[in-house]
Amino acid sequence: MASGSPHATVRRRPVRVAVVGLGYWGPNLVRNFHELPGVVVAGVCDLSRDRIETISKRYPALRRTTRLNDVLNDPTVEAVAIATPVSTHHEIASAALEAGKHVFIEKPFAASSAESLDLIALADERRRVVMPGHTFLYSPPVNMIRDLIVSGELGDIYFISTSRVNLGLHQSDVSVVWDLGPHDFSILRYWLDETPEFVSALSRGCIIPGTPDVAFINLEFASGAIAHVEMSWLAPSKLRRTTIVGSEKMVVYDDASTEPVRIFDSGVTLRDPETFGEYRLTYRTGDILSPRIDVSEPLRLELEDFCAAIRTGSAPRSSRELGLEVVRMIEAVDGSLAQSGARVQVSTMALERA
Ligand SMILES: NC(=O)c1ccc[n+]([C@@H]2O[C@H](COP(=O)([O-])OP(=O)(O)OC[C@H]3O[C@@H](n4cnc5c(N)ncnc54)[C@H](O)[C@@H]3O)[C@@H](O)[C@H]2O)c1
């Protein structure tokens, strides 16, 4: 089956979706689904009664349960959106697909590439949508920068350097790389339209021994582009800043700023030597442009894309293939960390079950 194309015909009845996992992030899914036209929140589920009570105060009419099977056995629930810890993604998503539901899974897709491949195969078998939630692919600044790269306005991409740091939230079941890495890796994959060939990484578990809470990661792409990603749960202030340096222009993307994208018409030209060995450089510092950017909420756009995939069989932008590649990038980082920062090749196996 082509990615996420279980139904060929367009339909009009509402998509009935249940949200599983109501911790930090799940309530955002509930709110956005609730506000989307043509979508009904058909139920919510969490193991914790406290979490359920909290959401019930806001949405008293919601059907709620602590048992996943209540959701899976409900024939009126057509789709399940999962916002539980990463270690539970595969188990909950495969149970939902087995029960015939379409599935949206918050990033990262699953806890390994083998689990991700398994979910893709199961979705094909059941002819259901399975979509990882890589919210940044729906962010207007991220899309503006992708347009600049794809149109060639930045020229050849020399390198990208990015920092995603703040104080907290330490996760119980994953390292900072599994928590924050999916954001930067999905953005890089989306911008450059390629998965890196090699990664190398350095990390430290400063607070919980054995659980990295800071990581410095280098990525090498076949196109020649290189990237450096710094991520941490330990920093005095929140920083979400990326610099993209191209042969024609440079961009600074600051997700925490009121001017999130600034385009610098700056660069360096290397002119042919006039005499043997005498290279001449010309530096150019031109205009700085801060374009107006749409303020749509990325999560809403992403959940709309999920519902469109269910209704029309369209392939979501945050595709299962991209979700798998992001997991492979994280696995390569773990591989590098296990070998004291060695340069590790990112797996490129075709879409087959491991
Ligand atoms: N897209 C984003 O920007 C974004 C942001 C934050 C978190 N996330 C993702 O969302 C997911 C959840 O993260 P979080 O920070 O909300 O975690 P959290 O620990 O705050 O919440 C998880 C919730 O899942 C519940 N839960 C655990 N196992 C369950 C099960 N078997 N059945 C039902 N409920 C269960 C827990 O009781 C808890 O309430 C993760 O995959 C995370 O990476 C995405």
Side-chain angles (χ1 to χ4, degrees), residues 20-21 23-25 46-47 51 83-85 89 92 106-107 135 183:
V20 179
Y24 165 67
W25 193 250
D46 197 295
L47 296 178
R51 303 284 199 188
T84 58
H89 285 184
I92 297 174
E106 263 309 331
K107 61 86 193 161
T135 325
H183 292 318

Side-chain angles (χ1 to χ4, degrees), residues 308-354:
I310 294 172
R311 286 194 195 97
T312 69
S314 56
R317 178 182 305 160
S318 180
S319 68
R320 50 201 216 160
E321 291 79 11
L322 184 138
L324 169 65
E325 304 230 334
V326 167
V327 171
R328 283 177 165 162
M329 290 161 78
I330 302 170
E331 284 179 331
V333 170
D334 278 352
S336 173
L337 293 175
Q339 298 171 63
S340 308
R343 187 167 173 261
V344 167
Q345 186 149 25
V346 180
S347 163
T348 52
M349 272 196 319
L351 281 182
E352 292 159 3
R353 267 179 143 153

Side-chain angles (χ1 to χ4, degrees), residues 114-127:
E115 285 186 1
S116 311
L117 285 163
D118 196 61
L119 291 177
I120 291 172
L122 191 55
D124 280 348
E125 217 171 278
R126 299 288 162 151
R127 298 176 62 74

